[in-house]
């Protein structure tokens, strides 16, 4: 059917395509994870002086240490 050289070239090409696909898929997944972690709202507790974060769009959040509800930091 195929000689050895042609089969080796086809095999190497398919392996390269699989590795390229896996690399692109992992790169996109890692980028989405990084963006999700990066986009957070920062809060400062006025009772216990702790800095903490919450998801984007949150205007009020409870402090994880003391439970006091704080507004987000505005710069």
């Amino acid at each position: 059917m195929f000689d050895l050289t042609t089969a080796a070239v086809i095999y190497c090409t398919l392996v390269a395509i699989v590795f390229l696909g896996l690399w692109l898929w992992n790169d996109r997944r890692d980028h989405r994870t990084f963006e999700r972690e990066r986009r957070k709202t920062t809060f400062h507790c006025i009772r216990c002086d702790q800095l903490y974060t919450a998801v984007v769009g949150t205007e009020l959040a409870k402090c994880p240490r003391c439970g006091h509800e704080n507004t987000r930091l505005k710069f």
Side-chain angles (χ1 to χ4, degrees):
M1 187 162 154
F2 294 120
D3 62 333
L4 187 59
T5 306
T6 306
V9 168
I10 291 172
Y11 176 75
C12 289
T13 304
L14 290 175
V15 168
I17 290 170
V18 167
F19 277 116
L20 179 65
L22 287 172
W23 175 57
L24 290 173
W25 180 74
N26 280 324
D27 189 50
R28 286 182 51 104
R29 185 191 62 178
D30 290 345
H31 182 70
R32 279 193 310 262
T33 303
F34 173 74
E35 284 298 316
R36 191 178 309 124
E37 286 296 318
R38 187 176 72 91
R39 298 196 184 273
K40 297 218 175 189
T41 303
T42 306
F43 293 90
H44 176 246
C45 183
I46 57 175
R47 184 182 290 169
C48 67
D49 202 35
Q50 181 180 358
L51 287 174
Y52 59 98
T53 61
V55 295
V56 173
T58 307
E59 290 295 322
L60 293 173
K62 290 191 177 190
C63 176
R65 184 185 295 170
C66 68
H68 183 73
E69 196 167 78
N70 298 290
T71 59
R72 70 181 180 91
L73 285 177
K74 296 177 184 173
F75 296 101

